Structure formats: structure tokens, C-alpha cells
Amino acid sequence: MTASGRVKLKPGDTIGILGGGQLGRMLAMAAARLGLRCQVFSPDPDSPAFDVVLNATCAEYADVEALELFANDVDVITYEFENVPAATAMVLDARRPVLPAQKILETTQDRLIEKDFVKRLGIGTADYADVSSVESLQSAIARIGLPAVIKTRRFGYDGKGQAIIREGDDPAQVWEDLGTKSAILEAFVPYEREVSVIAARGADGTVECYDVTENEHRDHILKFSRVPAAISDELAAQARAVAEKIAHALDYVGVLGVELFVVGGNGGPHVLVNEIAPRVHNSGHWTLDGASVSQFEQHIRAIAGWPLAKPVRHGEVTMTNLIGDDILDYEQWLTVPGATVHLYGKGPPRPGRKMGHVTEVVPASKK
Ligand SMILES: Nc1ncnc2c1ncn2[C@@H]1O[C@H](COP(=O)(O)OP(=O)(O)O)[C@@H](O)[C@H]1O
Ligand SMILES: [Mg+2]
């Protein structure tokens, strides 16, 4: 029987969450509202998710004994980050259902495997090539052209582990600076906008997608999400269909975020998949205040074996990330009419650190 087939939680049951950041914290808060408990596993004693749960395990992901004790205490296990080590997931999976399933991590932890997977589904991506040496980088550049983006296959986030290569750059230097043996080269996509789809898939295979979100990054970090995205209904339907197809093909249970580029060109605008996040996603934080049910609750429902909600959006929504020193303005945000403030309870602000976010909703009736 598959992991999802084995899970049917009751109120009072316990969910184990790997990772103690803001995503784990918001998952635990959503679970609490549904009468479910959470136990958080994180190696970082300052994990913001620890503050909102009764039971926490502070141990390394390689600590087999701690993982076993954690698994014994919970009824199902999920995660807030995609880089869960395979060995960790295996130890846990032998004891309790892990959702989304462990095999999904193999696809989404590696940009090359992920892109191959998306391509096999007949879904568009940027042109890309496997790069494992200066020589293969040179032939990839010859085929794909410049500008292009080189990305490490694994462990990249918030623009880390990637660089743009432009005409005149020295490939040998780029390769040395990247400091890896496995990367991909992608054609630079001259996108009109960046959008994402937050999709939930239940244990019964039902998929519910939120409205397409438009995302604006600053220094490679998400700064604003706006919903609905300023795209046609046809294009929005296309984006949602792509996310749904991916969710089915992965036999996914839980919430996933699909990042897409909107590009113009022959035949009108269309979408290309940039990457898949097998977890709740920053561009879905607006759903906490802008929809009847949040992405966090949808994820909890899915992994609990409960029915998904049909989320209803409350209006036009803007989500603003409070990054680094932005958090110092929290008192000002508290006084903005209509704004809902979320502070993650993290320690000192550091540049690029996600410290909180603010949602503003313009109700549909006031448009
Ligand atoms: N092929 C590309 N063409 C143009 N811009 C890109 C391309 N790949 C990434 N970017 C830009 O860099 C950002 C981060 O890249 P992404 O692949 O999403 O990595 P991550 O979010 O894991 O750091 C994207 O949101 C986009 O703004
Ligand atoms: Mg991204």
C-alpha cells in the first residue's frame, strides 16, 4: 500500500515536520487550528517552528536514533524543505508514512532530473544542458547561446548557486567560481513576468489550484506576490493545467509550488516551467489572509488523508516579504489599514533573511 493510502488522521493525532523555519511554523499553526498536533525536527536550536509546538526534536538529520524516536512519536511525517537527505527520509519512511513521498525528492532535489521529468511530460522549459566540466560548459554554450544561466544541480535557493553568463565572460572562470562538478546551463529566458501556481493534491488524487500568482524578486529573493496575476484567463488555465499535470505525474500528496516564466512569442504568450518546490511556497503566503483556506491548511489536510478545501479568494491580494532590515518597520506595518502582519520570531535580521510578511487584501466588493 502506498504511504498516502495508509494515512487517515483523527483530531488529536500528531504530524512530524522536518525543518523548523517559518514554513514549518505556519504548517504547525494551521494544523493546530484543525485540532492536530505537530512535532518539529530541526538541528537548529533557534528554529522559529519550535516556538509554536509542544514537542520538538533538536538533532542532526543524520542522527538515526533521534529520527527513530521522532518517528515513534508521530503518525505521519512531512517536511518544509526539499533538501531532506535521502538517508533521513529512508530511516523515517521505514517507520511512518512520509508525505509527499520520498521518491519525489529524488526528482526535485536535482535540477537536471527535474527538468528531464518536466520535459518528458511535454511541458515547456528553457533550453538546458547537463554540464560537468569546462569542456561540456563550452559545448553547452555553443548549442544554447548566450546569455545563459548556469545553476548547480543541487542545493540552490534564493539565487544561490547560479550565475548569468554573458557574451565575453570566460567559461573557465565561471566554472571555477561555481565550484561544483554537476550543473546545468539554461538559456536565459526573456520573460514578461514570473508567476507561480500553488497546487494541492489529496490522497484521493483530487487537485485544487489557487489562482495564479505573479511574483517580483529583488536580489533573487521574492519580494512581492500579487494575485491574480495580470495574465489572460487562457494563460492562467494553461499554468494551472501544467501544475495539475505535474502533481498527478508525481503521484503527489500535499502542496507544491510550480514556478513559471510567462514568455511572449509566436502563437501568443505561453508558460515555461522554471522549477518545482515539493512543499508550501513563499508565493503562497497570501492564502493565509487572502483565501478561505491557506496553502498550509491544504497541505495538512492532504497529508492527513482529509478532503481538500475548494479555496475561495477574498479579493485582490498583495503579499510583501519583510527581508532583513525590512523587519525593523514592523510597527509601521501594524498601523496600515487592512494589512495583516506575520512575524516569524527569528533572531537578528541578516541581509536576505526572510523575517516576516504582510498581506493586503482589497475585497472583491470594493473593486
Ligand atoms: N533561465 C532563466 N532565465 C531568466 N531568468 C532566470 C532563469 N533561471 C532563473 N532565473 C531568475 O533567477 C531566479 C531564481 O532562479 P531559480 O531557478 O528559481 O532558483 P532558486 O529560486 O532555487 O534560487 C528566478 O526566479 C528568475 O528570476
Ligand atoms: Mg525559484
Side-chain angles (χ1 to χ4, degrees), residues 111 158 194 217 259 274-275 281:
R111 292 188 194 275
D158 285 348
E194 289 194 81
H217 296 85
E259 299 177 9
N274 175 34
E275 60 171 348
H281 192 260

Side-chain angles (χ1 to χ4, degrees), residues 52-292:
V52 302
V53 294
L54 191 60
N55 294 312
T57 307
C58 190
E60 296 300 322
Y61 292 118
D63 184 337
V64 174
E65 198 185 333
L67 290 170
E68 287 175 351
L69 290 171
F70 168 76
N72 288 343
D73 282 346
V74 304
D75 298 292
V76 63
I77 295 165
T78 191
Y79 40 89
E80 61 141 29
F81 69 115
E82 54 271 51
N83 286 318
V84 174
T88 304
M90 244 160 68
V91 170
L92 295 172
D93 195 49
R95 284 161 185 82
R96 290 290 183 273
V98 174
L99 292 172
Q102 191 204 337
K103 67 176 185 338
I104 289 162
L105 293 171
E106 288 163 23
T107 304
T108 54
Q109 282 180 349
D110 184 313
R111 292 188 194 275
L112 181 65
I113 297 174
E114 182 175 282
K115 283 240 156 41
D116 286 345
F117 162 77
V118 171
K119 194 171 164 184
R120 271 201 310 278
L121 294 179
I123 298 169
T125 66
D127 254 350
Y128 64 95
D130 182 8
V131 173
S132 55
S133 63
V134 184
E135 294 72 36
S136 57
L137 175 57
Q138 268 152 346
S139 51
I141 291 173
R143 182 167 77 71
I144 287 174
L146 292 177
V149 186
I150 189 161
K151 302 181 181 180
T152 57
R153 279 173 61 174
R154 300 172 72 89
F155 302 120
Y157 71 99
D158 285 348
K160 293 185 175 61
Q162 59 177 273
I164 298 181
I165 310 179
R166 295 189 175 81
E167 214 64 64
D169 288 347
D170 172 14
Q173 190 62 51
V174 168
W175 186 244
E176 196 186 313
D177 291 347
L178 198 68
T180 180
K181 287 198 165 55
S182 50
I184 62 169
L185 188 75
E186 288 179 20
F188 184 88
V189 178
Y191 56 82
E192 287 174 2
R193 52 189 93 237
E194 289 194 81
V195 300
S196 57
V197 176
I198 305 300
R201 187 168 179 274
D204 62 356
T206 313
V207 172
E208 290 293 342
C209 295
Y210 287 94
D211 288 318
V212 181
T213 304
E214 188 158 337
N215 302 315
E216 195 181 319
H217 296 85
R218 296 271 163 86
D219 301 327
H220 301 284
I221 302 171
L222 183 67
K223 182 60 192 170
F224 301 107
S225 286
R226 297 184 183 88
V227 205
I231 56 175
S232 69
D233 291 348
E234 292 76 24
L235 200 56
Q238 198 187 108
R240 282 197 301 267
V242 161
E244 186 163 343
K245 192 169 188 177
I246 289 171
H248 286 309
L250 290 170
D251 197 16
Y252 198 88
V253 175
V255 163
L256 80 166
V258 180
E259 299 177 9
L260 305 132
F261 297 126
V262 175
V263 290
N266 297 338
H270 58 282
V271 293
L272 301 176
V273 167
N274 175 34
E275 60 171 348
I276 304 169
R279 53 171 169 79
V280 288
H281 192 260
N282 195 169
S283 71
H285 289 4
W286 65 268
T287 60
L288 278 168
D289 310 297
S292 51

